[in-house]
Amino acid sequence: MAYTVGMVSLGCAKNQVDGEVLMASLKNAGFLTVDDAALADIAIVNTCGFIESAKRESIEEILELAALKKEGKIKKLVITGCLSERYQKEMHQELPEADAVLGIGANGDIAPLLTKMMEENTYVESFPDKSRMPLCGDRELTTPSYFAYVKIAEGCDNRCSYCAIPLIRGGYRSRTMESIEEECKSLVANGAKELVLIAQDTSRYGIDLYGEYSLAKLMARLCRIDGLRWLRVLYCYPDSITDELLDTMAREEKIVKYIDLPLQHASGPILKAMNRRGDRQSLTALMNKIRERVPGVVLRTTLITGFPGETEEDFTELAEFVKDVKFQRLGCFAYSQEEGTPAAELPGQLDEEVKAHRAELIMDRQMEIMERQGMELIGKTLEVLVEGYDRYAECWFGRSWRDAPDVDGKIFFTTGGKRPRLGSFVQVRVEDCMDCDLTGRLV
């Protein structure tokens, strides 16, 4: 009997790719995959366990599907991903509704494990070493055909004091350039125009395999792929930004001039407590250097407010840093106290209200910056990847090269009655900026 299986994948794009590989392995083993987990025999929740809000979202999704199982609409409920890997001992006790709880190391064995669960009608639990998780494989893509994420490495060695990723995902493991290139060629052959390189730290790519930072060489190699239009990289670590990488980004036309560097803070003492290097002066110098070496680059960062011991002076320094650097894209999050991390044991833990209020203040300032930057684009023409039509606004929308998928904004545009093809590239003249989204018309 062929069982139907559907997945809800939560959290980051890296987890999304893992879910796509997992679903492809099930399909290759004879399972029938469906888009809606609520309509499947087997519903899988590919969880996120990074911070408290993500854990809550994962648990809420599990309980919603558990209610459908109780009503007889689904037969089995499976939990995998970061939450199950992180809380191996607690999962079955806390979530007895699940019929299987699997760690990330079990992803390669997912088909026989689910077959056993179904045929023997038994609870299944498996937590192999996390290093057994496949770095790549066939994928059941969940992104539109015109773009795809490509995971170039797994795990992390940076050991930031607030972060649970090394506990969950293990040490840094790069894929070979050959395997990445092969996957990218296949994705482009199947219609992908934009590829987005991801890892917990992309700028460290290759250090374990080749003995040197190799992201620049990898990106230059991928630019040779016929049919690829945009190559984007996310999640770079500031300490690993090499001159070679910046020069490659400036030189290669297919690499969009967009770099994402999660800086987390600007105060020297707070960065030291985070087990990160640098301070406001050195980070400002790095941002200036990137802008000098890669003209017109869009800088994106993420920040954390309310880290243990963050004083008013530390926060003011962070706010002034944001004001001075004027990032084109920025996300700010309140610190999440995660058990098992060194930061969770630090003195000076702040109230949730204080942490959230500080994050809100940073985002309010950033929205003002982005609104001004958007107004400065009025009259300019941008290349836009067409993503859809908004029936309510009666206009089309897409992303310019300035916007990464899922995290940044859109550009909405009218076409004078023309119907552009989804996944095509068009020229849009910017006419206005509303709530940091651009509006314009097809040229």
Side-chain angles (χ1 to χ4, degrees):
M1 177 182 176
Y3 301 105
T4 58
V5 58
M7 172 180 284
V8 177
S9 193
L10 303 170
C12 65
K14 300 179 287 292
N15 204 40
Q16 182 178 353
V17 171
D18 293 343
E20 292 173 347
V21 173
L22 187 150
M23 289 296 281
S25 68
L26 287 171
K27 185 175 182 179
N28 292 339
F31 289 79
L32 302 176
T33 59
V34 297
D35 292 336
D36 189 346
L39 301 177
D41 296 324
I42 305 169
I44 302 175
V45 184
N46 187 28
T47 59
C48 179
F50 181 43
I51 57 176
E52 190 61 35
S53 59
K55 289 183 280 188
R56 281 199 305 269
E57 182 185 17
S58 294
I59 292 169
E60 288 168 3
E61 188 64 47
I62 291 166
L63 295 177
E64 284 184 21
L65 288 170
L68 294 181
K69 177 189 163 189
K70 189 174 182 180
E71 296 170 6
K73 295 180 179 178
I74 61 177
K75 294 178 180 177
K76 299 290 184 181
L77 176 57
V78 178
I79 307 174
T80 185
C82 290
L83 191 70
S84 55
E85 178 67 29
R86 186 174 182 184
Y87 298 103
Q88 300 177 10
K89 297 178 181 178
E90 298 92 341
M91 291 299 290
H92 186 45
Q93 180 179 350
E94 297 295 330
L95 293 164
E97 300 88 348
D99 299 285
V101 179
L102 311 175
I104 63 172
N107 280 16
D109 304 319
I110 187 76
L113 289 169
L114 296 198
T115 299
K116 177 182 179 181
M117 175 189 71
M118 296 301 291
E119 293 184 351
E120 298 181 15
N121 195 30
T122 184
Y123 172 74
V124 173
E125 188 174 274
S126 180
F127 300 103
D129 190 278
K130 52 178 66 72
S131 65
R132 287 186 55 192
M133 192 190 79
L135 287 178
C136 55
D138 292 341
R139 292 164 60 184
E140 279 282 286
L141 291 177
T142 54
T143 50
S145 61
Y146 47 80
F147 92 88
Y149 294 106
V150 179
K151 193 164 78 164
I152 63 174
E154 176 57 70
C156 189
D157 290 337
N158 290 327
R159 302 287 172 178
C160 300
S161 66
Y162 53 82
C163 183
I165 290 298
L167 302 174
I168 301 170
R169 292 282 179 167
Y172 197 83
R173 295 187 292 147
S174 300
R175 292 174 58 186
T176 65
M177 287 194 194
E178 291 78 11
S179 74
I180 296 169
E181 183 180 22
E182 182 181 358
E183 180 179 15
C184 290
K185 284 181 176 178
S186 176
L187 291 167
V188 172
N190 288 322
K193 301 293 193 300
E194 176 185 17
L195 297 179
V196 184
L197 304 185
I198 55 173
Q200 194 61 33
D201 175 1
T202 50
S203 49
R204 184 180 286 267
Y205 171 75
I207 193 74
D208 53 323
L209 288 182
Y210 308 115
E212 62 179 2
Y213 295 132
S214 304
L215 180 60
K217 292 181 176 64
L218 172 66
M219 295 183 76
R221 183 169 177 164
L222 298 181
C223 285
R224 307 284 86 80
I225 297 176
D226 290 336
L228 175 63
R229 187 72 170 267
W230 286 351
L231 181 63
R232 190 183 302 272
V233 62
L234 301 181
Y235 315 129
C236 293
Y237 194 80
D239 292 359
S240 311
I241 300 298
T242 64
D243 289 348
E244 182 187 15
L245 176 61
L246 297 179
D247 291 344
T248 300
M249 292 187 71
R251 180 181 69 248
E252 296 287 353
E253 291 184 2
K254 291 183 179 181
I255 300 176
V256 295
K257 311 313 180 225
Y258 177 111
I259 189 164
D260 174 81
L261 299 111
L263 300 179
Q264 313 306 4
H265 216 281
S267 162
I270 295 298
L271 286 167
K272 184 176 181 180
M274 288 178 167
N275 196 31
R276 296 173 70 95
R277 288 180 285 278
D279 53 24
R280 180 181 174 185
Q281 183 177 2
S282 66
L283 292 178
T284 300
L286 176 60
M287 300 306 106
N288 290 339
K289 176 182 177 179
I290 293 171
R291 283 172 165 159
E292 180 182 337
R293 298 289 281 261
V294 188
V297 68
V298 167
L299 288 176
R300 176 181 173 81
T301 195
T302 51
L303 304 172
I304 296 172
T305 55
F307 189 81
E310 183 187 64
T311 64
E312 287 287 352
E313 289 76 16
D314 293 322
F315 174 69
T316 298
E317 187 169 15
L318 177 63
E320 290 176 347
F321 174 72
V322 171
K323 179 182 178 182
D324 291 345
V325 173
K326 294 180 175 59
F327 293 94
Q328 286 91 342
R329 306 286 182 263
L330 183 149
C332 188
F333 305 91
Y335 165 72
S336 178
Q337 186 177 8
E338 295 299 315
E339 69 271 24
T341 64
E345 306 300 323
L346 289 176
Q349 301 286 337
L350 276 65
D351 292 339
E352 295 297 328
E353 294 79 6
V354 172
K355 295 188 287 188
H357 180 60
R358 289 180 177 178
E360 185 178 341
L361 290 175
I362 293 292
M363 286 311 301
D364 285 345
R365 174 163 288 180
Q366 178 62 23
M367 294 297 281
E368 294 173 2
I369 293 170
M370 289 173 60
E371 192 74 16
R372 287 197 296 271
Q373 291 172 339
M375 298 299 285
E376 291 171 0
L377 290 171
I378 292 175
K380 293 186 168 65
T381 299
L382 297 177
E383 184 177 49
V384 172
L385 175 59
V386 181
E387 293 192 307
Y389 182 77
D390 189 321
R391 289 181 297 171
Y392 299 100
E394 296 184 336
C395 65
W396 294 79
F397 63 87
R399 288 181 293 109
S400 75
W401 61 270
R402 300 166 54 86
D403 300 296
D406 301 323
V407 293
D408 294 329
K410 305 284 187 186
I411 179 165
F412 297 86
F413 59 95
T414 56
T415 63
K418 297 179 182 177
R419 293 182 60 85
R421 181 170 47 85
L422 295 184
S424 65
F425 290 85
V426 298
Q427 299 294 318
V428 174
R429 183 179 177 84
V430 179
E431 295 181 332
D432 202 356
C433 178
M434 300 189 301
D435 298 326
C436 299
D437 283 325
L438 300 177
T439 61
R441 60 181 174 82
L442 187 71
V443 175

